[in-house]
Amino acid sequence: RATEAVGLNVERATYVFASTLPFFIAARLVTKLRGSGDRVQALPPLVARSLLAVTRLDEMLLARWNLPVGSSVVLCGRKALS
């Protein structure tokens, strides 16, 4: 593993934003089909608040388990003692 090669012991590795992954994939597909490239557009406030509320589900699950899928990866490592 790359982390171990630089002297880190992996404490935890998990995906995050699993609950919003379907929306993320849909947005990527729409962007690709429209050919709008990498333009980032602000979400309407109601949509942004709704997605933020949905991420609370991830927060609760992550307190107990690692998530099997998600749009981002989080890795926590600790410097190995010499």
Side-chain angles (χ1 to χ4, degrees), residues 1-81:
R1 288 179 142 162
T3 55
E4 292 164 349
V6 295
L8 294 175
N9 293 325
V10 176
E11 299 277 320
R12 184 173 183 188
T14 184
Y15 287 96
V16 294
F17 302 115
S19 58
T20 58
L21 184 61
F23 304 105
F24 178 80
I25 292 170
R28 285 286 175 107
L29 287 173
V30 167
T31 299
K32 189 168 272 215
L33 291 173
R34 287 186 181 166
S36 53
D38 292 331
R39 287 187 310 173
V40 176
Q41 296 178 344
L43 295 172
L46 178 61
V47 174
R49 282 194 306 273
S50 298
L51 289 172
L52 187 58
V54 170
T55 63
R56 301 284 192 278
L57 174 61
D58 283 4
E59 188 177 340
M60 290 185 298
L61 294 172
L62 284 165
R64 299 187 125 209
W65 303 287
N66 290 329
L67 300 178
V69 297
S71 61
S72 298
V73 175
V74 172
L75 183 135
C76 294
R78 186 179 303 267
K79 186 174 180 179
L81 297 175

